[in-house]
Each structure stands twice: as structure tokens, then as C-alpha cells.
Amino acid sequence: MKVVNPKHLDAVARMINASPYFDLVGVKVTEMKNGEATVYLDMEHKHLNPFGGPHGGVYASMIDTVCYWAAYCEMPEEAGFTSLDLTVNNIKMAKMGTLRADGRVVHAGSSVCVCEATVYDEDENVMAYGTSKLLVLRGKQTIPQALSVMNEDPLPPKYIEK
């Protein structure tokens, strides 16, 4: 039986957390496993809109990210994704502090994945909820392509036999 290689996931997380957009926004992928992922973001002044609340893009970025990486663990090594549709329901305005988003796969098809995510504050209050529909791209937006862009060495294999 094939299972996702934890060494691969650790290496992927290190690489993607160093990517330009994640660095800019401050999103950190902390956990990936079959059909699930978790990301964190420390709210800072840079995340605020002109009115002092979090910009809607904060929740959207967290939901888009956590859904993508939850789906990643469900798909073949040569598959990549792109978002077809992202729905974000902003429930509460976050204050400064750490936000966590938990994502899970609802459906992992051969051409489309559907995922959902919830964003929580430090007190476990639900701040946002969303869904993401991802188009599976065979041979596009793959980890080897990301390695090339990020100038990284090859990673351990995605799957191992158990």
C-alpha cells in the first residue's frame, strides 16, 4: 500500500513556506496529510485594510492555500492544481494574533477536487469558512516545476510502500 512520505511533505513545506507570496503574506503550511492540511498566519499591521480590520484577502489566501495542500496529498505525484473557484464567507474580523486554517478534501476526483476550510483565531472562534474547487493539471504546476523556480534540489519521493 502506498502512503505519503513524511520526509517529502516536510521538504515540500520548507520549500513552499519560503516562496515569495507565502513570505510576503506570512502564510505558513505546518501540516499536510492525506486529505488534510493546516496553515497559520500571524496577523500584523500589513494585513489590515484602511479601516483597521483584516483585508479580505487574508482569509482568502489562507483558505486557498490550505485547500490546495490538503488536495496535494490525495493526488498522483505528477499532478498539479489550479483554483477554478474559491468561495470565502467572512464571519468575524480578526484582531492581532495567530490565525489557523484547517482544510480537508471533500471530493478528490481525477479532474476536479473539492475542498473546504475553516479559519480560527487563537480562542477557536470561527473567523471564516470557505470552499475551493481545484482543477487537476497533469504535468503542470507540479513539484518538479516548483523546484526549478525555487532553485531547490530534488525531493524525496512523494509516496512510499508500507
Side-chain angles (χ1 to χ4, degrees):
M1 175 174 104
K2 281 187 176 182
V3 296
V4 180
N5 183 353
K7 290 179 182 177
H8 175 87
L9 295 180
D10 289 345
V12 167
R14 276 194 306 279
M15 178 186 66
I16 60 179
N17 286 336
S19 70
Y21 185 73
F22 284 18
D23 184 52
L24 175 72
V25 177
V27 172
K28 294 290 181 212
V29 177
T30 59
E31 184 177 2
M32 289 181 279
K33 57 186 177 184
N34 284 59
E36 297 178 10
T38 300
V39 302
Y40 284 87
L41 180 139
D42 289 325
M43 283 287 295
E44 299 177 34
H45 186 263
K46 70 180 180 180
H47 296 114
L48 302 180
N49 64 29
F51 309 103
H55 186 280
V58 172
Y59 296 154
S61 287
M62 292 182 76
I63 290 168
D64 189 45
T65 299
V66 78
C67 286
Y68 184 101
W69 294 106
Y72 174 76
C73 293
E74 293 288 309
M75 300 308 290
E77 196 155 4
E78 72 281 356
F81 305 96
T82 191
S83 297
L84 285 172
D85 166 299
L86 180 66
T87 302
V88 178
N89 298 286
N90 297 324
I91 297 169
K92 288 178 86 171
M93 287 194 294
K95 307 276 190 275
M96 294 299 168
T98 301
L99 299 176
R100 181 187 88 241
D102 295 329
R104 74 174 191 89
V105 173
V106 174
H107 170 75
S110 60
S111 58
V112 174
C113 290
V114 178
C115 301
E116 65 180 1
T118 306
V119 179
Y120 300 92
D121 70 4
E122 292 173 333
D123 296 322
E124 296 297 310
N125 295 306
V126 175
M127 309 309 286
Y129 172 83
T131 59
S132 175
K133 193 181 310 170
L134 300 161
L135 177 65
V136 179
L137 303 171
R138 301 276 183 224
K140 293 183 182 175
Q141 291 195 185
T142 63
I143 290 298
Q145 290 166 339
L147 292 170
S148 176
V149 169
M150 295 291 294
N151 198 27
E152 294 276 342
D153 293 330
L155 303 179
K158 183 174 180 178
Y159 296 104
I160 54 176
E161 295 290 332
K162 278 275 180 161

